[in-house]
């Protein structure tokens, strides 16, 4: 069994990132439902480890898949699907990694670049997990849990915001996320810089976040942020590469990973920036309002 798992791992890591990834994803969406093959009991009941690789598939029911294929195409439909899902349990450790893929963009260069990035990130996370498992001595427990997936934060006529997250539990726990926000009409990837007239927004947003941090700590003594001026780890401000997304209400949300702006027990934290403090700085109100 161990040899089979090793072979499967090596096979997964050798999967190339296809240049025609968008075509593969679209084919998966349009594929007719097929009967699921039976899996041998010796694989299913193995307690030591379980490995599942699903490539170019969609996590929807056969009925839903058929319904989608039967709907006449009136306008372009941009979707986020699960392109690859991988699971493993071994040595008191587990990993679940879901890789998203975007389908339906006419801008195939953008679609391909995003999908290739997502697949590359998942493969790297997979490799890090299996490398840590390979370093364990015989009989040693890993005590590691890794869960990676994605959340569609906003999906309306104007924008699509997708969060990719990784929750890791080992000696301590941490959450890391990355966000992509796509202008669905113009089919471009939005950056924080692109939303504003000039870089004055950096200081304005930073000061607002500091105010929110101090207010939250005053209202709730269990909340702690690194915002005190005499603290060498204090939050100084955001930069143009700061994690962000635009929520369903059209508000700018600034996001921090674990330990970036607060102690680990606070986890990942977010701050909704009031639009009234941004109005004079914004390029327009089509995204943030």
């Amino acid at each position: 069994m161990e040899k089979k798992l090793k072979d499967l791992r090596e096979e997964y890591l050798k999967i190339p990132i296809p240049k025609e990834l968008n075509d593969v994803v679209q084919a998966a969406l349009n594929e007719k439902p097929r009967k699921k093959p039976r899996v041998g009991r010796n694989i299913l009941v193995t307690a030591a480890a379980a490995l599942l690789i699903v490539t170019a598939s969609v996590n929807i029911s056969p009925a839903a898949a058929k319904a989608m294929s039967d709907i006449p195409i009136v306008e372009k439909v941009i979707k986020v699907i699960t392109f690859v899902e991988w699971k493993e349990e071994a040595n008191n450790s587990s990993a679940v990694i879901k890789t998203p893929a975007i389908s339906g963009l006419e801008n195939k260069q953008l679609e391909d670049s995003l999908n290739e990035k997502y697949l590359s990130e998942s493969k790297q996370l997979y490799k890090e997990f299996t490398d840590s498992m390979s370093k364990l001595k015989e009989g040693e427990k890993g005590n590691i849990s890794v869960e990676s997936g994605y959340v569609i934060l906003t999906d309306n006529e104007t924008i699509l915001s997708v969060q990719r997250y990784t929750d890791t539990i080992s000696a301590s726990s941490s959450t890391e996320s990355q966000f992509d926000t796509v202008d669905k009409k113009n089919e471009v990837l939005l950056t924080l810089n692109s939303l504003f007239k000039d870089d004055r927004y950096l200081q304005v947003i930073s000061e607002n976040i500091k105010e929110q941090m101090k207010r939250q700590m005053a209202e709730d003594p269990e909340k702690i942020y690194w915002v005190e001026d005499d603290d060498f780890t204090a939050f100084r401000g955001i930069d143009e590469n700061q994690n962000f997304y635009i929520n369903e209400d059209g508000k700018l949300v600034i996001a921090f990973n674990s330990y970036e702006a607060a102690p680990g027990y606070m986890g990942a934290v977010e701050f909704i920036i009031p639009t009234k403090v941004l109005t004079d700085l914004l390029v327009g109100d089509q995204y943030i309002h």
Side-chain angles (χ1 to χ4, degrees):
M1 183 62 196
E2 195 64 34
K3 184 178 184 302
K4 290 181 179 179
L5 287 173
K6 183 178 180 181
D7 291 343
L8 283 171
R9 288 170 178 157
E10 291 179 353
E11 181 179 348
Y12 179 78
L13 289 174
K14 290 178 181 177
I15 296 174
I17 299 174
K19 294 181 179 179
E20 303 82 4
L21 185 57
N22 62 296
D23 294 332
V24 178
V25 172
Q26 193 60 47
L29 277 171
N30 295 327
E31 188 176 23
K32 293 182 179 179
R34 293 179 297 179
K35 292 183 178 179
K36 295 182 179 179
R38 294 185 178 182
V39 182
R41 285 181 56 83
N42 61 323
I43 300 296
L44 292 176
V45 301
T46 301
L51 183 66
L52 172 63
I53 299 175
V54 184
T55 306
S57 66
V58 185
N59 284 357
I60 55 177
S61 67
K66 186 178 188 306
M68 288 176 64
S69 64
D70 289 342
I71 296 175
I73 299 177
V74 178
E75 58 182 22
K76 63 181 179 182
V77 178
I78 300 171
K79 293 289 184 182
V80 181
I81 64 172
T82 298
F83 181 64
V84 178
E85 180 175 357
W86 173 83
K87 301 178 181 180
E88 182 171 347
E89 294 183 5
N91 297 320
N92 204 41
S93 298
S94 64
V96 178
I97 301 173
K98 293 182 180 180
T99 305
I102 294 178
S103 173
L105 289 175
E106 294 179 3
N107 183 347
K108 294 308 176 185
Q109 183 176 358
L110 174 60
E111 184 174 292
D112 288 347
S113 66
L114 289 173
N115 291 341
E116 289 170 9
K117 178 177 67 172
Y118 300 157
L119 185 56
S120 178
E121 289 172 349
S122 290
K123 289 178 68 174
Q124 179 60 33
L125 186 60
Y126 174 94
K127 185 177 186 303
E128 290 172 0
F129 177 79
T130 54
D131 284 350
S132 64
M133 292 296 98
S134 66
K135 295 177 182 178
L136 296 176
K137 298 178 182 179
E138 186 175 353
E140 185 179 1
K141 301 297 184 182
N143 299 318
I144 299 173
S145 173
V146 177
E147 181 179 350
S148 178
Y150 64 95
V151 179
I152 301 172
L153 299 169
T154 306
D155 187 4
N156 55 36
E157 293 182 356
T158 306
I159 62 172
L160 172 69
S161 288
V162 182
Q163 173 191 13
R164 285 121 46 234
Y165 66 86
T166 301
D167 294 329
T168 304
I169 300 176
S170 184
S172 60
S173 62
S174 66
T175 300
E176 293 187 2
S177 294
Q178 297 185 63
F179 302 82
D180 287 315
T181 297
V182 176
D183 175 337
K184 294 169 67 174
K185 292 183 177 180
N186 297 305
E187 299 202 351
V188 295
L189 185 66
L190 299 179
T191 65
L192 200 54
N193 261 345
S194 68
L195 301 173
F196 298 95
K197 299 173 183 176
D198 51 53
D199 63 2
R200 288 178 296 161
Y201 75 91
L202 294 172
Q203 182 176 354
V204 171
I205 292 176
S206 297
E207 291 303 317
N208 183 266
I209 290 174
K210 291 177 183 178
E211 292 174 7
Q212 291 192 48
M213 287 177 171
K214 291 177 180 179
R215 183 170 62 251
Q216 288 184 30
M217 288 192 295
E219 295 172 351
D220 186 350
E222 293 187 0
K223 287 188 176 182
I224 295 178
Y225 292 105
W226 292 326
V227 68
E228 300 302 329
D229 293 336
D230 58 351
D231 187 349
F232 74 95
T233 61
F235 167 70
R236 306 299 179 189
I238 66 168
D239 60 33
E240 60 185 22
N241 297 315
Q242 178 68 47
N243 269 334
F244 81 96
Y245 66 92
I246 300 172
N247 66 19
E248 287 283 3
D249 297 324
K251 306 301 180 184
L252 176 66
V253 182
I254 299 297
F256 295 91
N257 291 326
S258 297
Y259 302 99
E260 281 189 336
Y265 81 88
M266 291 280 288
V269 295
E270 298 181 349
F271 298 90
I272 299 175
I273 310 302
T275 302
K276 63 182 180 181
V277 306
L278 304 174
T279 301
D280 294 337
L281 307 174
L282 291 167
V283 173
D285 60 1
Q286 66 268 43
Y287 306 125
I288 300 173
H289 42 262

